[in-house]
Amino acid sequence: MSNEHFVQINDVTYHVVLEGAGEESVLLLHGFTGSANTWSGLIEAYKELYSFIAVDLLGHGQTDSPEQHERYRMETAADDLKALLDFLGKKSVHLLGYSMGGRLALGFAVRYPEYVESLILESSSPGLRTTSEQEVRKKHDAELADRICAIGLERFVDEWSRIPLFATQERLPQEAKDRVRAERTAQKTAGLAGSLKGMGTGSQPSLWGELANMQWPVLLLAGELDPKFVHIAEQMANSMKNHELIIIKDAGHAIHVENPAEFGRIVNEYLKRRKYNDN
């Protein structure tokens, strides 16, 4: 990917990819074990229509991996994104987030609503509803973080790739599976551990209570073969006023990997409608 930049934000160096010639700016936030490269296919297909900002989130890709896991908290990560947009001179953007990146996109939108044109959330959630659920998940995330450090990155990636959430990716061509694995094994052990402890689902604030107050348009995407996140998306839709919900057939959790052409088409059509409606 071209147009790569390293930007100092709040004492952390972020790796950012800027690509595209369109008037509409789209901030792209990847999932856990991902990077800006997650979006290379989408960017290549639509760079003539949009200006993409793809970020390696804290602890991922070529962005720094701070030692203190508190530095990875969602609120702090959202502050970093706001500072990055200020640095780039972007007053507002469309946010597209996948899984962990979708949780951060939602958290950013709640914290800095004036920066948001619209939200596209792929296989995402507003966190957990109750403190007891959060505590159980926080313990699980901490144990997983410790396991990454104990067994090393390569073995962790092998185990992570085999969890039920990604079972549908076994159907992918070998080339696609190799790309996913290469992105995961290019991570840093400390960064993934810090991300789990600081911005895991158990650690983030619950945003369920914020959904009814959201004013921006929201597109919710889930794969029909990912029943957990289909259910979450349906629950989110029930709480939102200005939303669209699309369930993509024959796709699991990572729609952009399993059906990239359909994913790109849906995103592009949604953004075009936003531009038409705004005008």
Side-chain angles (χ1 to χ4, degrees), residues 34-126:
S35 68
N37 285 331
T38 292
W39 308 110
S40 57
L42 180 72
I43 291 173
E44 186 61 30
Y46 294 102
K47 63 184 180 182
E48 300 302 321
L49 300 179
Y50 306 103
S51 293
F52 290 107
I53 308 163
V55 183
D56 285 353
L57 298 176
L58 275 176
H60 289 76
Q62 299 180 67
T63 290
D64 286 350
S65 299
E67 293 184 7
Q68 299 300 320
H69 70 259
E70 290 84 1
R71 180 61 179 81
Y72 295 78
R73 292 175 66 246
M74 177 177 285
E75 298 91 334
T76 308
D79 292 345
D80 290 348
L81 293 179
K82 186 260 187 189
L84 173 63
L85 293 179
D86 288 342
F87 174 80
L88 296 174
K90 301 290 184 179
K91 295 182 178 180
S92 63
V93 294
H94 302 277
L95 269 78
L96 167 53
Y98 160 63
S99 199
M100 179 190 76
R103 291 190 287 108
L104 177 56
L106 199 54
F108 176 88
V110 169
R111 196 167 177 85
Y112 296 108
E114 68 275 15
Y115 282 77
V116 180
E117 294 285 342
S118 71
L119 282 175
I120 303 174
L121 305 178
E122 176 194 0
S123 304
S124 301
S125 86

Side-chain angles (χ1 to χ4, degrees), residues 106 110 119 126 129 206-218 220 235-243:
L106 199 54
V110 169
L119 282 175
R129 292 182 184 269
S206 176
L207 300 174
W208 283 101
E210 304 286 347
L211 300 183
N213 300 321
M214 293 180 177
Q215 301 301 315
W216 347 268
V218 181
L220 301 169
Q235 288 183 309
M236 293 174 69
N238 289 336
S239 300
M240 289 177 164
K241 299 172 184 175
N242 190 5
H243 75 275

Side-chain angles (χ1 to χ4, degrees), residues 13 45 48 68 80 97 108 122 127 129 137 141 151 163 165 170 178 186 198 225 228 241 263 269-270 275:
T13 300
E48 300 302 321
Q68 299 300 320
D80 290 348
F108 176 88
E122 176 194 0
R129 292 182 184 269
R137 181 58 183 265
D141 288 343
I151 67 175
I163 67 174
L165 193 66
E170 286 302 312
D178 289 345
L225 303 180
K228 175 181 177 180
K241 299 172 184 175
F263 178 81
E269 290 184 357
Y270 183 76
K275 183 177 182 180

